[in-house]
Amino acid sequence: MSRKSFPGCFSRMTWKKHFFKETCCQCGASDTEIQNEDLEKRGKVRKRKKKNENKRAIVSNLPFGSKKWKENPNRYYDTNEIKTTKYTIITFLPKNIYEQLHRFANIYFLFIALLNFVPVVNAFQPEVSVIPICSIMIITAIKDAWEDFRRYKLDKEINHMGCYIYSREEHAYVEKCWKDVRVGDFVQLQCNEIVPADILLLHSSDQNGICHLETANLDGETNLKQRRVVMGFSSQDTVFEPEFFQNTIICEMPNNDLNKFKGYMEQPNHEQVGLNIENLLLRGCTIRNTEAAVGIVIYAGHETKAMLNNSGPRYKRSRIEQRMNRDIFSCVGLLFVMCLVGAIGHGIWTGKFWEHPPYDVPDWNGNFVAPVLAGFYMFLTMIILLQILIPISLYVSIELVKLGQVFLIHNDIDLYDEEADLPIQCRALTITEDLGQIQYIFSDKTGTLTENKMVFRRCTVDGIEFSHQENDRRLKTQRELDLEDFAKLQHFTLPPMGLERPGSYQPSTVRPLRRCQSDRAHSKGHARSRSVGRRDSSQSQVAFSSPIVTIPPPIKPSGITLEKIHQIFQRLKLASLSQSFSSSQSSSQLGASFSAKSPEEPLAVLESCDNGNDGSAGSGGQELQDKGSTEIGAASLDEVFRSATKASLPADFCYEAESPDEAALVYAAQAYGFVLVSRTPEQVTVQLPQGTLLTFDILYTLGFDSVRKRMSVVVRHPLTREIVVYTKGADSVIMDLLDSSTKGDISSDKRMKRIKERTQKHLDYYAHDGLRTLCIAKKVLNEDDFQKWANFRQEAEAAIDNREELLIETAQHLETKLTLLGATGIEDRLQDGVPDTIVSLREAGIKIWVLTGDKQETAVNIAYSCKLLNQRDTVFTINTENKETCESLLNLTLEEVKKNYECDKPRRKIFGIIPTSLPSPEAPSPEFGLVLDGRTLSIIFQGGLEEKLLELARHCRSVLCCCSTPLQKSMVVKLVRRQLKAMTLSIGTSCILPAYPASHRDMAGSVLGRNVGDVLYGADFCASGDGANDVSMIQAADVGIGISGQEGMQAVMASDFAISRFKHLKKLLLVHGHWCYARLAKMVIYFFYKNVCYVNLLFWYQFFCGFSGSTMLDYWQMIFFNLFFTSVPPLLFGVLDKDVSAETLLRLPELYKNGQNSEIYNLSAFIITMLDAFYQSLICFFVPYLTYKDSDIDVFSFGNPINTIALLTILLHQALEMKTWTVLQLVTMLCSVALYLIFSVAYNAACLLCSPPTNPYWIMERQLKDPTFYLLCLITPVIALLPRYIEQQDVRMAPFEMQFHRVTMFVIKYMLKPPT
C-alpha cells in the first residue's frame, strides 16, 4: 500500500465518502496481536477505575515491546478502532425487537396479537392477527439493518486506512492500519494526509515548528489553522528520534471540547512544559502545506475529540407528533368505550334467553360461563376485533412522508445559492412540519442579517477621525480591472487629488448624524473565489480571506532614521485628513462633525502622536506644525505619495484571515502603505510606506476569551527595544481599562481625557451609522515587570488544574492602565432581500427578535435598515443596572403599551366573516419596539422579572437585545419557548475562536504605533465575542437554522436546517413550511378518519349479531384494507399536495397563520373528523343493510358490498381533500381500486380458507353481475361525502375572501400613509 495524497479541500461528507477508500494490507503485526489479546482479557473494574481519574499519564510505547506489554501503563486506554454500529449478526434480532418495543403502539398491537391466541377471547384466526404488527416491525427492522450495515462498511473503511507508526524492531516508520494505532505510538504524517488520532505535535518539517491543518471535517472551515510543536522540540538542527523520547505526558481526560486542551509534559529532570490546543493535531484533520510532521498519540478511537463530538443526529418531536400522541390516547379511550358497549350489549343479549342458546357450549363439567365473566371475555374479544381503530401504520407513514418532504425542500432551486454553490441542508428529518408553525424568530445580526463581508470605512486616531471613502472607491475599481491594471494601480496607494489646505477649509456646523447622511456604499456582494497563490482580477481587496503567501522580506534600505519614519507617519495622517476634507458634500458634512475646528488643532495633535515622545521627535513635530499652514501644499503631498509607493508589494500578494472583518482591516492597512510582509510564530515583518521593513519580536499572544472580551499581543519594538502590549476589544471593555491616574502633567491629562471623549464620540457616530467598532490601546512595560509577569504566565501554562482560570487571571493582570490609541469602524452590509423577508415574515404573524452582541447604536441602525423597526414605531429603550429601576421602567412601559392597545383592539370575525365596513380615516396606531442591553437582561434574569418582560414583549412587534452574551441568547429563547408555549426558531451563524493566536493580525496594528495604521487592523469579536456564539441559541429553539457563512460551520452543524442566505427563510417558512404542515396535518387526520370509519362498520354489525364479536368481512380483506388498498394514496398526498400555490403563499403571507394557529389539526378538527367518520360509517353500513333487509343473502355477501363502498368512500374522501392533482396521484387511486377488485376476485375464486357454512367463495364474482351492487357503490359514497363536499366548498372560498380583505386593507393603509 502506498501513501496517498488528497489535494484540495473537502467537506465532512466528502471526507467520509472519498477518504475512507484505502485499505491496509499489512495489518497483523505481532505486537498488535498481543495488544489485542491483552485488551480482551483486561477487567472491566480496572478500566472503570482508570476512567474515573481526572488525569491520564502517557509514556512512549517503545520501551515496552511485545514481551513487556503488560507493564505498559498505556494498555488501559482505548485502541484506535472505532465501532459505530449498534448491532451484530447475533444481537440484531433481539436488540432490534427490544428497541421497537419502546414504542407504545408496537406494544399495544403485540398485546392484541398475543391476546388473540387465547381461545376464549379470540375474534379471528390467531395467525392473521400477527400480520399487521409483524409487517410494520419487519419494515422497520429492514430499515435499521440497512442503516447499520452502512455504518459497518464505513467503520471498516476507516479502520483499515493506512498510516506510518514507528517500530522499535525496524528502527523506522512502518505502515499499519488506523485500528492498530495505540496511545503512546509515534505517528508520522505527510502533506494531505488525514490525522488518524489525537496527536501531540513533536516535530514539523517547517523551520518554525509550524504544522498547517485543515479542519473542514470537524467544523466546516476551509481556512488553514496552525499548530505548533511543543516548546523545546522546535529545533530543526537534528532529526527527531522517537527512541530518545523519555518524557511523561500528563493531560486531561478525554472530552469533546474542540477548542481546549490542557496538560503538561514532564521531562526526566522534572521540568514541566505546558501543553494546549495549539500543540494537538485532532483526528480527522488534514495536513496541509507541511511536508512532514511527527507526534505521539494522546487519544485514540472513541476517546478522540472528533468521535466524542459525533453524537449522531438529534431527535426532536414535532408539535403535530405531540398532538397526535394525545389523540391516539383519545382513540384508546374511544376503543375502551366501544368495547364496553360491546361487553354490556353481550350481557343484555344473552340475558334475554330463558335457557342457554345452542351456540353457548358448557365446559367439561357442564358449567356455563357466568354472565359477568362472559362480559369480560367479550370486552377482550372486542378489543381484538376493533384493534385497527389505532392506526398502526401511521408512524411508519409519517417517517416516509417526511423523507419525501425533505427531498423536495432539498431540491428546490430557489433555495440554492449559486454563488456559494450551496443548497439547503435538511439535517433534522422529524420536524419539517414545524416550519409551518413558527411564532417567534430569534436572529443574530452579524452574518445572518448582514453579508459578513466587511469594508473598512473609518478610523479615529488620538481623537482625530479619518475617512476611508476614497480608498473604498479605489478598491471597488480594482475589482473591475484585470491583473495588469491592478499591478499598476498598486503604485497609487493614496491617489493624488486637488486637496485644499487645512487652513482654507471652513468646517460646517456640527450636527447629529442622520441615517441619510451615511456614506455607506450600496454596492453588490463580492464573488468569493479561492486564491491559488495570486490575486484574481475578480477578487476583492477589501474583505475576503485567502491563503496567506509568505514571501522572503526584501533587503532593508539603509539610511532610514526614526525621525524620517515619524515624519512620513505625520504626513500620511495629514494627507488622509485633508483627503477627507475634500470629499463630496454629503461626506464633508459628516467629516466636519469629526474634524478639528481650526487648522492648527490637527497638527497639534499630530505632535502628540510621535512614538517615544523624545526631544527630537517632539521638535520634529513642532517644526511640522510651524510649516503646516505655509509649506504643506500639493507638492508636499505628491512627495508623500511618491515616497509611499517606491516599494509596493507584488500583485500576487494575498492574505488569509480568520474572519472577513480582519481581512478588511489588514487590506485597509495595506492600502495606506503599511503592509504585512511575513509572519512567523516569533516575528512579524511590516513594510512601511517608503519601503522600510520593521521586524517585531513576538513575546506573548493572549488570545480572546469570553470573560475578558479582548485579545492582546506583547512585542518588542525593533527601534526603541521597548516591550509593548497592544490590546484590542470592544469599546465597552477597553474604555474601562484605560489609565485614569493623574501623572502630574495637567496638559497631558487633559489631552488624554479629550482624546477619550472624542474617540467615544466617534464610536457613537460609527455605531449610529451601522458600523462595527473596535478599540485599540497599548501599554509599555519595563523589563522587570515583564519578567515577573512572564514567570506567572509560564506557571499558568504548565498548570493542569484550573489552567483556564489562571491564564485568564494572568491576562487580566497585564491588561490594565492602558493608553488609548484609537478605534475603527467597519461596514457589514445587509444581505440582499433581508428587508423584504422581514416584512413578509411579520405580515405572516411572526414576531422577530434580534439577539446580538453589537453596540446598541449599531444594532438599532441595522434594525431600521432591515425594516425590523419603522420610523413610525414607538421604540422603548431600557438600559439600567438596578433592579428597582428596571422593574419600574418595565411597569411604566407596559402601562403605556396597554393604553394604546385598549384604544386599538383588532376586529374579530363574526361567524367566520370579517366585517367589510371601512375604518375611520385616521392615522394608524403606532407599533411598538423594545430595545434592551446585556446588562438589563442580566438584571431581569437575576431579579425574577421574566414575566414582566414577556408581557411587555408580547405587545411589541420587534425586540432588540444588544450586547448580549451567548448564554443570554439561549436563556431568552428558552424563556419564550417555555413560558409562552410558543413555537420558536433561531437562526444564526458561527463565529469561531481562532484556532491559533492571531498574532499576525495584532501585529499589523502594533507595528504602526500611534499612527494611522495603528487602528487599521484588529479583530471583531463575533458580536458578543464568544466562539460559535449562536450555537447555544440555535439548540435552545424548537427549530434551529444555521447560516453557512464565512466564519465557520459550528452553527450549521448544530442546526436542524442550514441555508446560505437569510432571504431563503421566506420561502422555507411561508411556502415549504406551510405545505409541510398542511400536508402532514391533513394526512394524520385522514389516518384517524380512515381507521375510525372502517372499524365502526364492524361495531355497527355487533348490534345485529348479538355482540358476539363476529364479523361480516373476511379476515384477509380486513388486514389488506389498511396494509395495501389504502396505504399508498395518503403517502403521496402527504408529499405532493399543495393546498395553495407558492406564488399565492408568497403574495399573501397571512395564509401562514393557518399553521401558527393550528387551524388544520387541533382538538376541534379532530372531534369534527371523528364525528364525520361516525356519520360516514353509518351511511356505508345502513344503506346496504336497508337494501338487503329481509333478503336471504349470507353474511359475506352482505359484508362485501359494505367493504367495497367503504373503500370507495375513503378514497373519494381523500380526493376531496386534495387541492393539487398529479398524474401519479390519479394513477395511485385507480390502482388501489383495481388492486382491491383483482385481489377479491382471485381470493374468492381460489377460496384458500373456505370453511362452511359461511365462506367467501365466488362472492365478488356474483356481485359484479348484480346491478344492485353497482347502484350501492354509486349512491352510498355520494350520500356519505355530501356534508364533506359542502364544507370543502366553503373552505375553498376562504382564500378569495381573505385576498379581497387584504387588498382592501392595503388600499386603506396606503391612503392613510403619511407623506415622507
Side-chain angles (χ1 to χ4, degrees):
M1 181 182 66
S2 60
R3 190 184 293 261
K4 208 168 186 177
S5 297
F6 306 98
C9 300
F10 294 85
S11 65
R12 182 167 59 94
M13 294 305 298
T14 309
W15 174 61
K16 288 184 177 180
K17 292 181 180 179
H18 296 281
F19 281 96
F20 300 148
K21 302 295 184 184
E22 197 170 275
T23 58
C24 180
C25 59
Q26 297 182 1
C27 300
S30 58
D31 292 352
T32 305
E33 293 177 357
I34 297 176
Q35 294 171 12
N36 291 337
E37 291 177 2
D38 183 75
L39 286 172
E40 294 176 359
K41 296 178 181 179
R42 66 185 182 184
K44 296 182 179 179
V45 177
R46 300 172 68 186
K47 183 176 181 180
R48 187 181 301 114
K49 178 181 179 181
K50 201 70 180 179
K51 287 189 175 181
N52 287 336
E53 298 180 0
N54 57 0
K55 300 178 184 178
R56 67 161 37 180
I58 300 168
V59 297
S60 171
N61 288 335
L62 297 181
F64 307 93
S66 58
K67 299 180 180 180
K68 297 182 180 180
W69 180 252
K70 293 184 178 181
E71 301 176 6
N72 191 346
N74 298 336
R75 68 186 185 276
Y76 296 109
Y77 304 134
D78 286 356
T79 64
N80 203 42
E81 183 177 7
I82 64 170
K83 181 178 180 240
T84 60
T85 57
K86 295 193 298 182
Y87 313 107
T88 63
I89 297 178
I90 299 176
T91 63
F92 172 75
L93 191 60
K95 193 172 182 179
N96 186 261
I97 293 176
Y98 174 76
E99 289 180 350
Q100 291 199 51
L101 290 181
H102 279 71
R103 283 185 173 179
F104 171 76
N106 291 343
I107 296 178
Y108 165 77
F109 282 102
L110 180 63
F111 170 75
I112 297 299
L114 297 177
L115 187 63
N116 197 51
F117 280 88
V118 179
V120 181
V121 298
N122 67 338
F124 40 82
Q125 298 177 5
E127 297 79 9
V128 179
S129 64
V130 299
I131 292 178
I133 182 62
C134 288
S135 300
I136 297 300
M137 295 186 69
I138 288 174
I139 293 174
T140 306
I142 293 174
K143 176 180 71 70
D144 294 340
W146 172 250
E147 292 178 353
D148 205 59
F149 179 71
R150 293 178 61 188
R151 287 192 289 264
Y152 166 76
K153 291 179 61 179
L154 184 59
D155 291 346
K156 185 177 180 180
E157 292 172 352
I158 295 175
N159 290 328
H160 287 80
M161 288 184 63
C163 64
Y164 282 86
I165 304 175
Y166 190 84
S167 173
R168 182 179 182 181
E169 289 77 11
E170 301 186 21
H171 301 285
Y173 292 95
V174 297
E175 197 168 16
K176 293 185 180 180
C177 294
W178 274 26
K179 65 185 182 68
D180 297 326
V181 176
R182 292 297 311 272
V183 173
D185 285 343
F186 292 92
V187 179
Q188 184 187 64
L189 300 167
Q190 293 185 1
C191 186
N192 296 329
E193 286 190 345
I194 302 177
V195 181
D198 289 353
I199 297 175
L200 189 69
L201 185 60
L202 300 178
H203 173 80
S204 174
S205 59
D206 183 82
Q207 61 180 355
N208 299 306
I210 293 296
C211 178
H212 296 273
L213 281 183
E214 181 185 280
T215 60
N217 300 323
L218 297 183
D219 55 24
E221 290 187 270
T222 57
N223 292 341
L224 298 185
K225 311 296 186 302
Q226 290 184 357
R227 293 293 184 264
R228 296 183 179 181
V229 171
V230 176
M231 187 180 301
F233 289 85
S234 58
S235 176
Q236 302 299 316
D237 299 335
T238 58
V239 179
F240 176 75
E241 293 292 344
E243 295 186 16
F244 297 153
F245 184 85
Q246 299 179 356
N247 300 344
T248 301
I249 300 171
I250 308 297
C251 62
E252 60 186 353
M253 295 300 293
N255 58 73
N256 62 352
D257 194 338
L258 297 174
N259 297 317
K260 292 181 181 180
F261 171 73
K262 56 184 180 180
Y264 62 89
M265 180 182 295
E266 186 173 344
Q267 301 177 359
N269 58 1
H270 302 291
E271 183 180 348
Q272 295 181 354
V273 178
L275 308 175
N276 53 44
I277 192 64
E278 298 177 22
N279 310 125
L280 195 65
L281 307 180
L282 298 181
R283 176 190 174 108
C285 297
T286 306
I287 304 295
R288 302 290 189 194
N289 298 345
T290 304
E291 184 177 349
V294 178
I296 185 172
V297 178
I298 301 297
Y299 306 121
H302 289 278
E303 293 182 340
T304 59
K305 292 181 179 292
M307 293 301 298
L308 292 174
N309 275 275
N310 185 19
S311 58
R314 296 181 299 120
Y315 181 81
K316 290 185 178 181
R317 193 178 299 275
S318 66
R319 178 170 290 187
I320 284 185
E321 191 172 349
Q322 297 174 8
R323 172 82 251 179
M324 182 186 69
N325 291 335
R326 292 193 293 267
D327 291 340
I328 285 180
F329 281 102
S330 300
C331 289
V332 172
L334 179 62
L335 175 65
F336 179 84
V337 173
M338 295 172 67
C339 295
L340 187 62
V341 171
I344 296 175
H346 178 74
I348 296 175
W349 180 280
T350 56
K352 294 181 179 179
F353 294 95
W354 292 98
E355 59 182 13
H356 293 282
Y359 59 82
D360 191 3
V361 181
D363 57 13
W364 62 280
N365 289 325
N367 300 323
F368 291 93
V369 179
V372 177
L373 186 59
F376 175 73
Y377 287 158
M378 184 52 58
F379 180 85
L380 298 179
T381 302
M382 292 293 292
I383 289 181
I384 299 173
L385 181 65
L386 306 179
Q387 61 176 305
I388 58 176
L389 181 68
I390 310 299
I392 184 175
S393 59
L394 180 57
Y395 289 100
V396 177
S397 300
I398 287 177
E399 290 183 2
L400 297 176
V401 165
K402 289 183 178 180
L403 286 176
Q405 292 177 348
V406 166
F407 176 80
L408 294 179
I409 294 175
H410 181 76
N411 288 275
D412 189 345
I413 192 64
D414 293 334
L415 301 181
Y416 170 75
D417 186 1
E418 185 176 0
E419 179 183 354
D421 191 24
L422 289 174
I424 183 175
Q425 301 177 37
C426 302
R427 302 174 55 83
L429 307 181
T430 58
I431 57 172
T432 54
E433 65 274 21
D434 281 349
L435 293 173
Q437 298 182 279
I438 301 301
Q439 297 168 298
Y440 286 84
I441 290 181
F442 300 91
S443 174
D444 183 36
K445 182 186 74 68
T446 304
T448 305
L449 301 178
T450 58
E451 286 278 2
N452 204 18
K453 297 178 179 179
M454 312 301 178
V455 177
F456 183 88
R457 286 299 183 191
R458 296 179 177 277
C459 66
T460 174
V461 183
D462 277 353
I464 301 178
E465 201 272 343
F466 298 92
S467 173
H468 194 66
Q469 185 176 6
E470 295 300 326
N471 182 65
D472 178 60
R473 293 176 182 175
R474 185 184 71 260
L475 294 176
K476 292 179 185 176
T477 306
Q478 289 177 356
R479 292 195 296 267
E480 302 173 0
L481 300 178
D482 56 17
L483 192 58
E484 296 180 1
D485 294 337
F486 173 73
K488 297 177 182 179
L489 195 60
Q490 280 289 91
H491 295 282
F492 296 92
T493 309
L494 290 174
M497 302 171 54
L499 300 177
E500 301 179 18
R501 299 185 182 184
S504 63
Y505 176 74
Q506 300 296 331
S508 59
T509 305
V510 178
R511 55 185 177 183
L513 176 65
R514 297 178 300 174
R515 294 177 61 241
C516 60
Q517 293 175 317
S518 172
D519 64 339
R520 180 178 303 163
H522 302 281
S523 61
K524 296 182 180 179
H526 308 291
R528 183 175 182 176
S529 59
R530 182 175 298 279
S531 172
V532 291
R534 57 187 293 271
R535 181 178 290 123
D536 300 330
S537 59
S538 61
Q539 186 172 357
S540 170
Q541 194 187 2
V542 187
F544 295 117
S545 302
S546 56
I548 188 167
V549 179
T550 305
I551 62 175
I555 299 175
K556 181 176 180 179
S558 59
I560 298 296
T561 63
L562 181 60
E563 297 180 26
K564 291 184 178 181
I565 296 176
H566 291 165
Q567 186 178 12
I568 197 68
F569 286 163
Q570 294 162 349
R571 291 185 177 183
L572 279 172
K573 287 183 180 180
L574 183 59
S576 300
L577 184 62
S578 302
Q579 185 181 10
S580 65
F581 288 165
S582 62
S583 56
S584 60
Q585 179 65 24
S586 61
S587 62
S588 65
Q589 294 175 356
L590 179 61
S593 63
F594 294 144
S595 305
K597 296 182 180 180
S598 63
E600 291 81 7
E601 187 171 353
L603 300 178
V605 178
L606 286 177
E607 177 189 4
S608 65
C609 297
D610 294 340
N611 198 359
N613 294 327
D614 53 4
S616 60
S619 61
Q622 183 64 38
E623 181 181 359
L624 181 62
Q625 179 182 353
D626 297 337
K627 298 179 180 179
S629 58
T630 58
E631 297 182 7
I632 299 182
S636 63
L637 290 176
D638 291 338
E639 181 182 353
V640 172
F641 297 144
R642 286 194 298 271
S643 65
T645 57
K646 290 181 180 179
S648 299
L649 288 176
D652 59 351
F653 198 87
C654 54
Y655 300 96
E656 178 193 273
E658 286 291 333
S659 61
D661 52 351
E662 297 173 358
L665 290 169
V666 73
Y667 278 124
Q670 179 184 358
Y672 279 101
F674 297 87
V675 183
L676 176 64
V677 175
S678 66
R679 169 69 169 89
T680 68
E682 292 81 16
Q683 291 181 335
V684 61
T685 302
V686 176
Q687 184 184 41
L688 302 184
Q690 81 284 8
T692 304
L693 295 178
L694 294 181
T695 300
F696 290 75
D697 295 330
I698 302 176
L699 304 180
Y700 277 95
T701 299
L702 309 180
F704 172 84
D705 61 73
S706 58
V707 178
R708 294 162 43 242
K709 295 184 173 62
R710 56 189 177 272
M711 63 190 310
S712 301
V713 60
V714 184
V715 301
R716 186 179 296 277
H717 200 283
L719 300 179
T720 63
R721 307 307 297 172
E722 292 178 330
I723 298 177
V724 187
V725 181
Y726 292 95
T727 303
K728 59 181 180 180
D731 59 323
S732 59
V733 176
I734 299 298
M735 291 297 183
D736 295 337
L737 299 175
L738 299 180
D739 188 4
S740 59
S741 61
T742 59
K743 301 179 181 179
D745 189 352
I746 300 178
S747 60
S748 177
D749 293 341
K750 289 184 177 180
R751 184 175 62 84
M752 295 306 299
K753 183 178 180 181
R754 184 172 66 251
I755 291 174
K756 180 178 179 181
E757 292 175 352
R758 289 183 177 180
T759 303
Q760 187 61 57
K761 179 181 178 181
H762 297 161
L763 286 169
D764 295 338
Y765 278 123
Y766 294 169
H768 186 272
D769 203 27
L771 302 182
R772 298 161 62 89
T773 58
L774 180 72
C775 280
I776 298 179
K778 66 177 290 187
K779 176 182 180 180
V780 179
L781 296 176
N782 57 49
E783 291 289 344
D784 294 338
D785 292 341
F786 170 73
Q787 200 60 45
K788 293 178 181 179
W789 178 87
N791 294 333
F792 293 145
R793 184 70 179 183
Q794 291 176 359
E795 293 178 2
E797 291 176 346
I800 190 170
D801 295 327
N802 303 321
R803 182 174 183 270
E804 299 298 329
E805 292 77 4
L806 292 175
L807 290 176
I808 293 175
E809 183 179 351
T810 57
Q812 290 175 335
H813 180 75
L814 184 67
E815 298 163 336
T816 57
K817 296 184 178 181
L818 303 176
T819 301
L820 180 64
L821 297 177
T824 59
I826 300 178
E827 179 190 9
D828 187 7
R829 298 188 181 98
L830 277 179
Q831 294 184 17
D832 294 335
V834 169
D836 176 66
T837 301
I838 290 181
V839 170
S840 298
L841 293 177
R842 296 175 66 168
E843 290 179 355
I846 302 176
K847 293 187 177 182
I848 302 176
W849 292 34
V850 173
L851 312 178
T852 178
D854 281 350
K855 284 175 61 65
Q856 183 168 298
E857 294 82 359
T858 303
V860 170
N861 183 273
I862 293 295
Y864 279 108
S865 301
C866 67
K867 297 185 179 180
L868 185 69
L869 296 176
N870 193 283
Q871 296 292 349
R872 296 192 303 269
D873 292 348
T874 301
V875 180
F876 298 100
T877 302
I878 302 178
N879 297 332
T880 181
E881 299 181 12
N882 183 272
K883 177 183 176 182
E884 291 74 16
T885 305
C886 182
E887 185 175 6
S888 177
L889 290 175
L890 288 174
N891 292 331
L892 292 175
T893 306
L894 185 60
E895 183 179 354
E896 181 69 21
V897 170
K898 287 183 176 180
K899 288 181 180 179
N900 286 271
Y901 267 84
E902 291 176 358
C903 299
D904 183 37
K905 290 185 178 180
R907 293 178 299 160
R908 299 182 179 275
K909 295 182 180 180
I910 303 177
F911 298 105
I913 303 174
I914 301 176
T916 56
S917 58
L918 298 179
S920 57
E922 58 183 14
S925 61
E927 298 284 354
F928 297 101
L930 180 62
V931 180
L932 305 170
D933 64 353
R935 296 178 180 179
T936 305
L937 284 176
S938 299
I939 295 299
I940 290 175
F941 285 120
Q942 296 174 5
L945 304 176
E946 296 93 337
E947 295 295 335
K948 293 185 178 181
L949 172 63
L950 289 179
E951 189 177 1
L952 175 60
R954 292 178 65 178
H955 295 87
C956 297
R957 60 181 288 179
S958 300
V959 178
L960 194 60
C961 299
C962 314
C963 304
S964 54
T965 65
L967 178 61
Q968 289 175 336
K969 292 181 181 182
S970 62
M971 291 176 65
V972 169
V973 176
K974 292 177 181 178
L975 177 66
V976 174
R977 180 169 60 89
R978 294 174 179 174
Q979 298 297 328
L980 300 183
K981 307 297 182 182
M983 183 66 70
T984 58
L985 180 148
S986 291
I987 178 171
T989 55
S990 301
C991 211
I992 310 304
L993 279 171
Y996 58 93
S999 306
H1000 63 287
R1001 299 187 301 274
D1002 299 273
M1003 289 306 304
S1006 65
V1007 68
L1008 304 177
R1010 288 183 169 186
N1011 300 283
V1012 177
D1014 189 45
V1015 291
L1016 292 183
Y1017 199 36
D1020 177 79
F1021 291 152
C1022 308
S1024 63
D1026 250 328
N1029 64 335
D1030 294 336
V1031 171
S1032 58
M1033 177 181 71
I1034 289 174
Q1035 293 179 337
D1038 295 289
V1039 179
I1041 296 184
I1043 299 288
S1044 49
Q1046 299 188 27
E1047 291 189 339
M1049 298 288 287
Q1050 269 93 334
V1052 171
M1053 299 174 71
S1055 64
D1056 304 307
F1057 301 88
I1059 57 180
S1060 58
R1061 311 291 292 179
F1062 184 83
K1063 65 180 181 181
H1064 293 163
L1065 191 64
K1066 179 179 178 180
K1067 186 172 185 181
L1068 180 62
L1069 296 185
L1070 302 187
V1071 178
H1072 288 289
H1074 175 87
W1075 282 346
C1076 290
Y1077 167 75
R1079 292 164 176 168
L1080 203 63
K1082 292 180 180 179
M1083 191 196 77
V1084 171
I1085 290 183
Y1086 177 79
F1087 263 91
F1088 284 118
Y1089 150 79
K1090 180 185 68 169
N1091 286 45
V1092 172
C1093 180
Y1094 190 71
V1095 80
N1096 276 340
L1097 300 176
L1098 306 177
F1099 180 70
W1100 303 134
Y1101 181 71
Q1102 301 307 307
F1103 288 89
F1104 300 94
C1105 68
F1107 296 95
S1108 59
S1110 59
T1111 67
M1112 72 291 191
L1113 305 176
D1114 182 76
Y1115 301 143
W1116 287 98
Q1117 285 191 331
M1118 291 172 55
I1119 296 299
F1120 288 170
F1121 188 89
N1122 282 319
L1123 205 58
F1124 297 114
F1125 303 149
T1126 60
S1127 59
V1128 180
L1131 298 181
L1132 294 180
F1133 173 75
V1135 175
L1136 301 176
D1137 188 58
K1138 299 178 181 179
D1139 58 340
V1140 186
S1141 65
E1143 293 77 12
T1144 304
L1145 290 172
L1146 293 175
R1147 189 172 63 253
L1148 300 176
E1150 291 87 350
L1151 296 176
Y1152 185 81
K1153 296 179 181 179
N1154 293 341
Q1156 286 180 328
N1157 303 327
S1158 300
E1159 296 179 3
I1160 299 178
Y1161 182 28
N1162 50 33
L1163 181 59
S1164 60
F1166 176 76
I1167 294 175
I1168 293 175
T1169 300
M1170 294 297 100
L1171 295 177
D1172 189 23
F1174 271 88
Y1175 164 77
Q1176 293 186 25
S1177 65
L1178 283 170
I1179 298 299
C1180 293
F1181 180 85
F1182 283 100
V1183 170
Y1185 171 78
L1186 296 176
T1187 302
Y1188 290 111
K1189 187 179 181 180
D1190 299 331
S1191 64
D1192 58 351
I1193 62 173
D1194 59 79
V1195 174
F1196 285 158
S1197 298
F1198 170 66
N1200 190 69
I1202 295 178
N1203 199 38
T1204 306
I1205 292 169
L1207 176 69
L1208 295 176
T1209 302
I1210 290 173
L1211 291 178
L1212 290 175
H1213 179 100
Q1214 182 177 341
L1216 290 177
E1217 295 292 333
M1218 287 185 181
K1219 302 301 184 293
T1220 304
W1221 279 88
T1222 62
V1223 176
L1224 185 61
Q1225 290 171 303
L1226 179 61
V1227 170
T1228 305
M1229 286 277 193
L1230 297 178
C1231 289
S1232 297
V1233 178
L1235 179 63
Y1236 167 76
L1237 295 176
I1238 294 173
F1239 172 81
S1240 298
V1241 170
Y1243 176 72
N1244 292 345
C1247 198
L1248 298 177
L1249 300 176
C1250 292
S1251 56
T1254 60
N1255 59 71
Y1257 180 71
W1258 218 250
I1259 294 295
M1260 181 59 76
E1261 286 78 357
R1262 287 197 301 267
Q1263 292 195 339
L1264 289 176
K1265 301 176 182 179
D1266 186 6
T1268 305
F1269 175 78
Y1270 292 100
L1271 185 62
L1272 286 175
C1273 292
L1274 179 64
I1275 295 177
T1276 309
V1278 173
I1279 300 175
L1281 295 173
L1282 186 60
R1284 171 66 59 173
Y1285 176 78
I1286 296 174
E1287 189 267 341
Q1288 286 292 325
Q1289 294 305 310
D1290 295 338
V1291 173
R1292 292 176 189 272
M1293 292 301 296
F1296 297 99
E1297 296 178 0
M1298 183 179 298
Q1299 184 174 1
F1300 174 77
H1301 175 71
R1302 171 177 164 79
V1303 172
T1304 304
M1305 296 305 298
F1306 177 79
V1307 173
I1308 294 172
K1309 290 180 180 180
Y1310 181 79
M1311 294 174 61
L1312 297 178
K1313 183 178 180 181
T1316 57

